[in-house]
Amino acid sequence: MSQRDTLFRHLAILQMLPRAPHSLSTTTIGLRLEEQGYGMTPRSIQRDLEKLAEHFPLQCHKESKPYRWNYVANYNSDLPALDTVTALTLVLAEESVRGLLPKVAMDKISYKFQSARKHLEGLQGNGFSQWSQRVRAIPNGKSLIPAEIKPAIWEGLTDALLNHYAVDVSYLSRFKGELKHYTLHPLGLVTRDSSSYLLATVNEHEDVRQFALHRFRKVKPSASLYRAQPGFNLQQYIDQGAFGFPLAQEPVKLVARITNSMAWLLAETPLSRDQSLSEPDAEGWVRLEATVPNDQQTQWWIMGFGASIEVLEPRTWREQILQQAREIVARGA
């Protein structure tokens, strides 16, 4: 085998190894190498790993066979070197997701952002050294501080999700305020605004439920056999309005009168693919028509525009908004 082939094989091994506490067995490494066209005996793989460990912070766990390998937990790789455009993209991404992802998730990739900032700050010969005064990402609406999630909880739930095993958990019920104990079968993970949710079936039930990650108190692998849901589709689950507090499964036709400034906003960022906006009438109002989910989230979005929108249809939405307006006026009387 040529030195070139050996180099690429070593790079393939380095790219697949995880950081502690996760690890890969030499058997799994061999299977992944085989998928990339490298036929290796277990002994040859072990020799490769031992050579690489002389130059990289690798750990070998010999408690049982096959041996397991990983990087040390705090290893930060600087290869390949960052270019300026990639560095700027990373600092923009950090600004965007800082208020969305839980701290424990941000900590996992913080070294990438640190490297990007150092790269830009080191470019004294151009304006990129002043990026911190020139780059900002702001949320559309009020941004809340992300709920705190314990690192062990994040590790346990994400590992169970990715490796398909059940977990026994202690979970703080929001409604009853008491600690509940479940066996969960993870199906998905969703970050929404400042909170993250695990989607899972519970015990022997088949329905998919949502669990806020910050309410977990304990997580450990379960002796129960993992029950997969082959027909579950995360995007379909979201599209059906699961995170919008649905009032009904079927969408509704929204018809409303809106101000010209709101029409400008929706012309550039439409509410739906079938949205239509009329020309302004004599009083400057624009007629909006769009198919939208029948959920509370859409109603809250509408009410956020206050007097800039008048809902005509659905009639039930119009009545609900008017009733809330009457209650607000009554409190101020």
Side-chain angles (χ1 to χ4, degrees):
M1 184 174 290
S2 68
Q3 290 185 347
R4 179 176 177 274
D5 290 336
T6 301
L7 172 63
F8 285 143
R9 187 181 73 247
H10 285 176
L11 286 174
I13 293 173
L14 291 172
Q15 287 176 335
M16 72 175 69
L17 288 177
R19 291 183 179 82
H22 305 294
S23 61
L24 286 181
S25 68
T26 51
T27 301
T28 302
I29 294 171
L31 291 172
R32 294 188 180 181
L33 285 173
E34 188 175 346
E35 291 175 353
Q36 299 183 44
Y38 300 105
M40 302 284 293
T41 66
R43 182 57 193 148
S44 296
I45 294 171
Q46 186 67 23
R47 281 199 299 267
D48 274 359
L49 287 162
E50 290 171 354
K51 289 179 181 178
L52 290 170
E54 297 175 3
H55 304 283
F56 294 89
L58 304 183
Q59 294 176 320
C60 180
H61 304 274
K62 299 182 178 180
E63 297 84 1
S64 61
K65 291 188 176 182
Y67 295 162
R68 304 186 69 87
W69 287 81
N70 59 13
Y71 287 105
V72 297
N74 61 349
Y75 175 58
N76 298 332
S77 174
D78 293 325
L79 299 174
L82 279 174
D83 59 81
T84 301
V85 173
T86 301
L88 184 60
T89 302
L90 280 171
V91 297
L92 276 170
E94 181 184 21
E95 289 275 318
S96 298
V97 303
R98 184 175 296 280
L100 296 176
L101 293 179
K103 181 179 181 300
V104 64
M106 289 293 293
D107 289 344
K108 293 291 183 182
I109 54 174
S110 62
Y111 73 96
K112 290 284 189 181
F113 298 136
Q114 291 171 6
S115 297
R117 290 195 297 272
K118 287 181 181 179
H119 178 87
L120 294 179
E121 289 164 358
L123 299 175
Q124 300 298 329
N126 59 41
F128 283 113
S129 62
Q130 303 298 319
W131 69 266
S132 61
Q133 285 85 44
R134 303 187 182 191
V135 173
R136 285 292 182 275
I138 59 176
N140 183 18
K142 177 61 180 174
S143 177
L144 303 178
I145 298 173
E148 184 176 353
I149 302 168
K150 295 180 180 179
I153 297 297
W154 177 268
E155 293 282 354
L157 292 176
T158 54
D159 191 64
L161 173 66
L162 297 176
N163 291 294
H164 308 292
Y165 62 83
V167 286
D168 294 329
V169 306
S170 297
Y171 184 80
L172 182 64
S173 171
R174 174 183 176 184
F175 299 104
K176 295 186 178 181
E178 60 186 26
L179 210 58
K180 298 285 189 178
H181 304 283
Y182 305 115
T183 296
L184 300 184
H185 305 267
L187 297 172
L189 183 68
V190 173
T191 294
R192 180 177 179 273
D193 296 329
S194 55
S195 296
S196 295
Y197 299 87
L198 179 76
L199 306 183
T201 56
V202 183
N203 300 332
E204 301 302 319
H205 301 289
E206 296 295 328
D207 58 309
V208 179
R209 305 184 194 178
Q210 302 171 11
F211 297 87
L213 264 61
H214 59 275
R215 297 197 191 103
F216 283 94
R217 296 298 179 261
K218 291 183 179 179
V219 174
K220 66 176 183 178
S222 175
S224 300
L225 185 66
Y226 177 74
R227 293 189 297 107
Q229 295 276 347
F232 177 74
N233 183 290
L234 179 58
Q235 187 58 53
Q236 186 178 45
Y237 178 83
I238 295 171
D239 291 343
Q240 290 173 347
F243 283 89
F245 305 98
L247 301 172
Q249 290 295 327
E250 294 300 319
V252 295
K253 188 76 169 183
L254 172 64
V255 181
R257 298 171 72 233
I258 61 177
T259 60
N260 199 37
S261 59
M262 186 176 173
W264 269 102
L265 170 66
L266 294 181
E268 296 176 334
T269 54
L271 188 56
S272 68
R273 295 191 181 278
D274 67 346
Q275 171 185 289
S276 65
L277 298 169
S278 71
E279 292 296 323
D281 62 18
E283 297 177 342
W285 290 90
V286 174
R287 183 180 175 90
L288 162 69
E289 294 187 11
T291 302
V292 297
N294 190 356
D295 58 22
Q296 291 182 347
Q297 188 74 24
T298 306
Q299 291 186 20
W300 296 337
W301 176 83
I302 290 171
M303 288 186 285
F305 284 95
S308 295
I309 182 171
E310 178 189 0
V311 173
L312 304 176
E313 296 178 14
R315 296 294 300 180
T316 53
W317 287 21
R318 177 179 176 85
E319 290 302 323
Q320 289 169 2
I321 293 171
L322 288 174
Q323 180 59 34
Q324 292 200 27
R326 294 186 194 104
E327 292 177 4
I328 292 172
V329 171
R331 292 194 194 104

Short mmCIF file of all heavy atoms in Angstrom, two decimals, residues 19-58:
data_model
loop_
_atom_site.label_atom_id
_atom_site.label_comp_id
_atom_site.label_asym_id
_atom_site.label_seq_id
_atom_site.Cartn_x
_atom_site.Cartn_y
_atom_site.Cartn_z
N ARG A 19 -15.12 12.45 20.45
CA ARG A 19 -14.51 12.87 21.70
C ARG A 19 -15.15 12.12 22.87
O ARG A 19 -16.29 11.68 22.79
CB ARG A 19 -14.71 14.38 21.92
CG ARG A 19 -13.92 15.26 20.96
CD ARG A 19 -14.12 16.73 21.29
NE ARG A 19 -13.37 17.58 20.39
CZ ARG A 19 -13.76 17.93 19.18
NH1 ARG A 19 -14.94 17.52 18.73
NH2 ARG A 19 -13.01 18.69 18.42
N ALA A 20 -14.38 11.98 23.96
CA ALA A 20 -14.92 11.38 25.18
C ALA A 20 -16.11 12.23 25.66
O ALA A 20 -16.12 13.45 25.46
CB ALA A 20 -13.84 11.34 26.25
N PRO A 21 -17.16 11.61 26.20
CA PRO A 21 -17.20 10.24 26.72
C PRO A 21 -17.59 9.19 25.68
O PRO A 21 -17.71 8.03 26.00
CB PRO A 21 -18.29 10.34 27.80
CG PRO A 21 -19.23 11.37 27.27
CD PRO A 21 -18.36 12.38 26.58
N HIS A 22 -17.85 9.60 24.42
CA HIS A 22 -18.22 8.64 23.39
C HIS A 22 -16.97 7.96 22.84
O HIS A 22 -15.85 8.51 22.92
CB HIS A 22 -19.00 9.33 22.28
CG HIS A 22 -20.20 10.07 22.79
ND1 HIS A 22 -21.28 9.45 23.34
CD2 HIS A 22 -20.47 11.40 22.84
CE1 HIS A 22 -22.18 10.33 23.71
NE2 HIS A 22 -21.71 11.53 23.42
N SER A 23 -17.14 6.79 22.26
CA SER A 23 -16.00 6.05 21.72
C SER A 23 -16.48 5.09 20.64
O SER A 23 -17.68 4.82 20.52
CB SER A 23 -15.29 5.27 22.85
OG SER A 23 -16.18 4.33 23.44
N LEU A 24 -15.52 4.58 19.85
CA LEU A 24 -15.81 3.61 18.81
C LEU A 24 -14.94 2.38 19.04
O LEU A 24 -13.76 2.49 19.37
CB LEU A 24 -15.52 4.17 17.42
CG LEU A 24 -16.49 5.20 16.83
CD1 LEU A 24 -16.01 5.60 15.44
CD2 LEU A 24 -17.90 4.65 16.77
N SER A 25 -15.53 1.21 18.83
CA SER A 25 -14.75 -0.03 18.93
C SER A 25 -13.95 -0.23 17.65
O SER A 25 -14.28 0.31 16.59
CB SER A 25 -15.68 -1.22 19.15
OG SER A 25 -16.46 -1.45 17.98
N THR A 26 -12.90 -1.01 17.75
CA THR A 26 -12.09 -1.29 16.56
C THR A 26 -12.93 -2.03 15.51
O THR A 26 -12.69 -1.90 14.31
CB THR A 26 -10.86 -2.14 16.93
OG1 THR A 26 -11.27 -3.27 17.69
CG2 THR A 26 -9.86 -1.32 17.74
N THR A 27 -13.92 -2.78 15.97
CA THR A 27 -14.81 -3.48 15.03
C THR A 27 -15.61 -2.48 14.20
O THR A 27 -15.70 -2.59 12.97
CB THR A 27 -15.78 -4.40 15.78
OG1 THR A 27 -15.03 -5.35 16.54
CG2 THR A 27 -16.68 -5.13 14.81
N THR A 28 -16.18 -1.48 14.88
CA THR A 28 -16.95 -0.45 14.18
C THR A 28 -16.06 0.36 13.25
O THR A 28 -16.44 0.68 12.12
CB THR A 28 -17.64 0.48 15.19
OG1 THR A 28 -18.48 -0.29 16.04
CG2 THR A 28 -18.45 1.55 14.48
N ILE A 29 -14.86 0.69 13.71
CA ILE A 29 -13.91 1.42 12.87
C ILE A 29 -13.60 0.62 11.61
O ILE A 29 -13.56 1.17 10.50
CB ILE A 29 -12.62 1.74 13.66
CG1 ILE A 29 -12.92 2.71 14.81
CG2 ILE A 29 -11.55 2.33 12.74
CD1 ILE A 29 -11.77 2.90 15.77
N GLY A 30 -13.40 -0.70 11.77
CA GLY A 30 -13.12 -1.55 10.62
C GLY A 30 -14.26 -1.56 9.62
O GLY A 30 -14.04 -1.50 8.40
N LEU A 31 -15.50 -1.62 10.11
CA LEU A 31 -16.67 -1.62 9.21
C LEU A 31 -16.77 -0.31 8.45
O LEU A 31 -17.07 -0.30 7.25
CB LEU A 31 -17.94 -1.88 10.02
CG LEU A 31 -18.10 -3.29 10.61
CD1 LEU A 31 -19.31 -3.34 11.54
CD2 LEU A 31 -18.23 -4.31 9.48
N ARG A 32 -16.52 0.80 9.13
CA ARG A 32 -16.59 2.11 8.47
C ARG A 32 -15.47 2.29 7.46
O ARG A 32 -15.66 2.90 6.40
CB ARG A 32 -16.57 3.23 9.51
CG ARG A 32 -17.81 3.24 10.40
CD ARG A 32 -17.86 4.46 11.29
NE ARG A 32 -19.06 4.45 12.13
CZ ARG A 32 -19.37 5.40 13.00
NH1 ARG A 32 -18.56 6.44 13.16
NH2 ARG A 32 -20.48 5.32 13.71
N LEU A 33 -14.30 1.76 7.78
CA LEU A 33 -13.20 1.81 6.81
C LEU A 33 -13.52 0.97 5.59
O LEU A 33 -13.21 1.36 4.45
CB LEU A 33 -11.91 1.33 7.47
CG LEU A 33 -11.22 2.29 8.45
CD1 LEU A 33 -10.06 1.59 9.13
CD2 LEU A 33 -10.75 3.56 7.74
N GLU A 34 -14.14 -0.17 5.81
CA GLU A 34 -14.51 -1.04 4.70
C GLU A 34 -15.50 -0.35 3.77
O GLU A 34 -15.42 -0.50 2.54
CB GLU A 34 -15.12 -2.34 5.24
CG GLU A 34 -15.36 -3.40 4.17
CD GLU A 34 -15.84 -4.71 4.76
OE1 GLU A 34 -15.73 -4.88 5.99
OE2 GLU A 34 -16.33 -5.55 3.99
N GLU A 35 -16.43 0.44 4.35
CA GLU A 35 -17.38 1.19 3.53
C GLU A 35 -16.66 2.21 2.65
O GLU A 35 -17.17 2.59 1.59
CB GLU A 35 -18.38 1.91 4.44
CG GLU A 35 -19.34 0.97 5.15
CD GLU A 35 -20.23 1.71 6.13
OE1 GLU A 35 -20.01 2.92 6.34
OE2 GLU A 35 -21.15 1.08 6.69
N GLN A 36 -15.47 2.67 3.08
CA GLN A 36 -14.71 3.65 2.31
C GLN A 36 -13.66 2.98 1.42
O GLN A 36 -12.84 3.67 0.81
CB GLN A 36 -14.04 4.65 3.27
CG GLN A 36 -15.02 5.45 4.10
CD GLN A 36 -14.33 6.47 4.98
OE1 GLN A 36 -13.41 7.18 4.55
NE2 GLN A 36 -14.78 6.57 6.23
N GLY A 37 -13.69 1.66 1.36
CA GLY A 37 -12.80 0.95 0.45
C GLY A 37 -11.49 0.49 1.05
O GLY A 37 -10.58 0.06 0.32
N TYR A 38 -11.37 0.52 2.39
CA TYR A 38 -10.14 0.07 3.04
C TYR A 38 -10.41 -1.26 3.74
O TYR A 38 -11.11 -1.34 4.74
CB TYR A 38 -9.66 1.09 4.08
CG TYR A 38 -9.36 2.45 3.50
CD1 TYR A 38 -10.23 3.52 3.69
CD2 TYR A 38 -8.20 2.67 2.75
CE1 TYR A 38 -9.96 4.77 3.17
CE2 TYR A 38 -7.92 3.92 2.23
CZ TYR A 38 -8.81 4.96 2.43
OH TYR A 38 -8.53 6.19 1.90
N GLY A 39 -9.83 -2.35 3.21
CA GLY A 39 -9.96 -3.66 3.83
C GLY A 39 -8.85 -3.86 4.82
O GLY A 39 -7.68 -3.98 4.44
N MET A 40 -9.19 -3.89 6.13
CA MET A 40 -8.17 -3.95 7.18
C MET A 40 -8.50 -5.05 8.17
O MET A 40 -9.66 -5.27 8.51
CB MET A 40 -8.11 -2.61 7.94
CG MET A 40 -7.81 -1.40 7.07
SD MET A 40 -6.09 -1.32 6.61
CE MET A 40 -5.34 -1.02 8.22
N THR A 41 -7.47 -5.74 8.65
CA THR A 41 -7.66 -6.71 9.72
C THR A 41 -7.75 -5.94 11.05
O THR A 41 -7.23 -4.82 11.17
CB THR A 41 -6.49 -7.70 9.79
OG1 THR A 41 -5.30 -6.98 10.16
CG2 THR A 41 -6.30 -8.39 8.45
N PRO A 42 -8.38 -6.54 12.07
CA PRO A 42 -8.45 -5.87 13.38
C PRO A 42 -7.07 -5.51 13.92
O PRO A 42 -6.90 -4.45 14.52
CB PRO A 42 -9.15 -6.91 14.26
CG PRO A 42 -10.00 -7.70 13.31
CD PRO A 42 -9.18 -7.78 12.05
N ARG A 43 -6.10 -6.38 13.71
CA ARG A 43 -4.75 -6.10 14.21
C ARG A 43 -4.14 -4.90 13.49
O ARG A 43 -3.49 -4.05 14.12
CB ARG A 43 -3.85 -7.33 14.03
CG ARG A 43 -2.44 -7.15 14.56
CD ARG A 43 -2.44 -6.77 16.02
NE ARG A 43 -1.12 -6.31 16.47
CZ ARG A 43 -0.93 -5.41 17.41
NH1 ARG A 43 -1.97 -4.84 18.00
NH2 ARG A 43 0.29 -5.07 17.76
N SER A 44 -4.38 -4.78 12.18
CA SER A 44 -3.83 -3.65 11.42
C SER A 44 -4.48 -2.34 11.88
O SER A 44 -3.80 -1.30 11.98
CB SER A 44 -4.08 -3.86 9.93
OG SER A 44 -3.38 -4.99 9.45
N ILE A 45 -5.78 -2.38 12.15
CA ILE A 45 -6.47 -1.18 12.64
C ILE A 45 -5.90 -0.76 14.00
O ILE A 45 -5.66 0.42 14.24
CB ILE A 45 -7.98 -1.45 12.75
CG1 ILE A 45 -8.57 -1.68 11.37
CG2 ILE A 45 -8.69 -0.29 13.46
CD1 ILE A 45 -10.00 -2.16 11.38
N GLN A 46 -5.65 -1.76 14.87
CA GLN A 46 -5.09 -1.46 16.18
C GLN A 46 -3.70 -0.83 16.04
O GLN A 46 -3.36 0.13 16.75
CB GLN A 46 -5.02 -2.73 17.03
CG GLN A 46 -4.58 -2.53 18.47
CD GLN A 46 -5.59 -1.75 19.30
OE1 GLN A 46 -6.77 -1.71 18.97
NE2 GLN A 46 -5.11 -1.12 20.36
N ARG A 47 -2.89 -1.34 15.11
CA ARG A 47 -1.55 -0.76 14.89
C ARG A 47 -1.66 0.67 14.39
O ARG A 47 -0.91 1.56 14.83
CB ARG A 47 -0.76 -1.62 13.90
CG ARG A 47 -0.16 -2.87 14.50
CD ARG A 47 0.98 -3.39 13.61
NE ARG A 47 0.49 -3.73 12.28
CZ ARG A 47 0.09 -4.95 11.92
NH1 ARG A 47 0.11 -5.93 12.80
NH2 ARG A 47 -0.32 -5.18 10.69
N ASP A 48 -2.62 0.93 13.46
CA ASP A 48 -2.81 2.29 12.98
C ASP A 48 -3.17 3.24 14.13
O ASP A 48 -2.63 4.35 14.23
CB ASP A 48 -3.95 2.32 11.94
CG ASP A 48 -3.45 2.01 10.54
OD1 ASP A 48 -2.23 1.80 10.38
OD2 ASP A 48 -4.28 2.00 9.61
N LEU A 49 -4.07 2.80 14.98
CA LEU A 49 -4.52 3.65 16.08
C LEU A 49 -3.39 3.91 17.07
O LEU A 49 -3.25 5.03 17.58
CB LEU A 49 -5.70 2.98 16.79
CG LEU A 49 -7.02 3.00 16.01
CD1 LEU A 49 -7.98 1.96 16.56
CD2 LEU A 49 -7.64 4.39 16.07
N GLU A 50 -2.57 2.92 17.32
CA GLU A 50 -1.44 3.11 18.24
C GLU A 50 -0.43 4.10 17.67
O GLU A 50 0.15 4.91 18.40
CB GLU A 50 -0.79 1.75 18.52
CG GLU A 50 -1.66 0.85 19.38
CD GLU A 50 -1.12 -0.57 19.48
OE1 GLU A 50 -0.13 -0.88 18.77
OE2 GLU A 50 -1.69 -1.37 20.24
N LYS A 51 -0.22 4.06 16.34
CA LYS A 51 0.68 5.03 15.70
C LYS A 51 0.11 6.44 15.78
O LYS A 51 0.81 7.40 16.08
CB LYS A 51 0.92 4.64 14.24
CG LYS A 51 1.79 3.40 14.06
CD LYS A 51 1.97 3.07 12.58
CE LYS A 51 2.80 1.82 12.40
NZ LYS A 51 2.95 1.46 10.96
N LEU A 52 -1.18 6.54 15.51
CA LEU A 52 -1.82 7.85 15.55
C LEU A 52 -1.82 8.42 16.97
O LEU A 52 -1.72 9.64 17.17
CB LEU A 52 -3.26 7.75 15.03
CG LEU A 52 -3.40 7.50 13.53
CD1 LEU A 52 -4.85 7.17 13.17
CD2 LEU A 52 -2.92 8.71 12.73
N ALA A 53 -1.93 7.55 17.97
CA ALA A 53 -1.95 8.01 19.36
C ALA A 53 -0.61 8.62 19.78
O ALA A 53 -0.54 9.34 20.79
CB ALA A 53 -2.30 6.84 20.28
N GLU A 54 0.44 8.37 19.03
CA GLU A 54 1.74 8.98 19.32
C GLU A 54 1.76 10.46 18.96
O GLU A 54 2.60 11.21 19.47
CB GLU A 54 2.84 8.24 18.56
CG GLU A 54 3.01 6.79 18.98
CD GLU A 54 4.03 6.05 18.11
OE1 GLU A 54 4.63 6.73 17.23
OE2 GLU A 54 4.22 4.83 18.30
N HIS A 55 0.83 10.87 18.09
CA HIS A 55 0.83 12.25 17.62
C HIS A 55 -0.47 12.99 17.92
O HIS A 55 -0.52 14.22 17.81
CB HIS A 55 1.06 12.27 16.11
CG HIS A 55 2.32 11.57 15.69
ND1 HIS A 55 3.56 12.14 15.83
CD2 HIS A 55 2.51 10.33 15.17
CE1 HIS A 55 4.49 11.29 15.38
NE2 HIS A 55 3.88 10.18 14.98
N PHE A 56 -1.53 12.27 18.28
CA PHE A 56 -2.82 12.89 18.57
C PHE A 56 -3.31 12.42 19.95
O PHE A 56 -2.94 11.31 20.39
CB PHE A 56 -3.86 12.51 17.50
CG PHE A 56 -3.56 13.06 16.14
CD1 PHE A 56 -2.78 12.34 15.24
CD2 PHE A 56 -4.05 14.31 15.75
CE1 PHE A 56 -2.49 12.84 13.98
CE2 PHE A 56 -3.76 14.81 14.50
CZ PHE A 56 -2.98 14.09 13.61
N PRO A 57 -4.10 13.24 20.63
CA PRO A 57 -4.56 12.88 21.98
C PRO A 57 -5.68 11.84 21.96
O PRO A 57 -6.85 12.13 22.22
CB PRO A 57 -5.05 14.22 22.54
CG PRO A 57 -5.50 14.99 21.35
CD PRO A 57 -4.56 14.59 20.24
N LEU A 58 -5.31 10.60 21.63
CA LEU A 58 -6.26 9.51 21.56
C LEU A 58 -6.21 8.67 22.83
O LEU A 58 -5.14 8.52 23.44
CB LEU A 58 -5.98 8.62 20.34
CG LEU A 58 -5.94 9.30 18.97
CD1 LEU A 58 -5.72 8.25 17.88
CD2 LEU A 58 -7.21 10.09 18.72
#
